[in-house]
Amino acid sequence: MVNKIDEICGSVTGNSADIAVITESWLTSLVKDQFINIPGYMTYQRGGGLCTFISLRLDFIELCHLRDPEIESQSFVIKPNRTVYHPPQNHDNKLRAYLFSSLDLALASYPNSAIVVLGDFNHFKQGNLCSSFKLKRLITKPTRGNKILDQAYSTMSQYYDEALILPPVGLSDHSSAF
């Protein structure tokens, strides 16, 4: 991702994104935020999979207490927003249980908040997650080959236009979704 930061910066700022999430970023703890900074955005890394850029125009905080050392996820109060990277070899039941418990905790702390869950879910089967939290799927077109691996779910689907699927950034094998 470091070698693609100029292209990512252009995509994020050119599309006036409030939040940009990079999954499969391949970042390590050796890569400091200053090397992947986008002017006007805060940068948050988690594991080697997630990197989130949030516009400084938004009022937000990171919910560190919702972290799980075995799951690459990030949670922010923007009433709240959640990003997830679900590696292909991981088990759906563990991620599903984590999402249920962390969304319940977030909603207990911030009642009546809107929910946004997004990320690279690979082959994750959400089961009754969507119906339990009244989440609607926002990405309906393939993001990798003919599959929809990168997904966004929200309780505020009426406020989103149809997701725009753009070509991959750099040598990524996933398309970008805006």
Side-chain angles (χ1 to χ4, degrees), residues 59-116:
D59 185 16
F60 65 92
I61 58 169
E62 185 177 13
L63 301 177
C64 298
H65 68 284
L66 294 179
R67 287 184 182 165
D68 181 308
E70 295 183 33
I71 307 245
E72 286 187 46
S73 71
Q74 296 171 312
S75 300
F76 302 93
V77 171
I78 312 172
K79 298 295 184 182
N81 172 25
R82 162 147 339 243
T83 58
V84 175
Y85 173 57
H86 181 53
Q89 70 277 12
N90 281 20
H91 299 286
D92 285 358
N93 291 339
K94 188 170 196 155
L95 177 59
R96 194 175 305 104
Y98 168 75
L99 287 171
F100 266 92
S101 70
S102 62
L103 288 173
D104 280 337
L105 268 171
L107 288 172
S109 298
Y110 305 96
N112 301 315
S113 295
I115 299 171
V116 177

Side-chain angles (χ1 to χ4, degrees), residues 35-47:
F35 298 118
I36 55 170
N37 184 47
I38 296 177
Y41 291 80
M42 280 295 294
T43 304
Y44 294 89
Q45 295 182 52
R46 179 88 167 110

Side-chain angles (χ1 to χ4, degrees), residues 17-63:
D18 288 324
I19 301 169
V21 178
I22 309 296
T23 57
E24 294 188 31
S25 68
W26 299 99
L27 295 173
T28 68
S29 59
L30 300 174
V31 178
K32 303 297 179 210
D33 289 349
Q34 67 199 41
F35 298 118
I36 55 170
N37 184 47
I38 296 177
Y41 291 80
M42 280 295 294
T43 304
Y44 294 89
Q45 295 182 52
R46 179 88 167 110
L50 293 175
C51 183
T52 301
F53 299 98
I54 302 178
S55 171
L56 295 174
R57 295 184 311 258
L58 299 178
D59 185 16
F60 65 92
I61 58 169
E62 185 177 13
L63 301 177

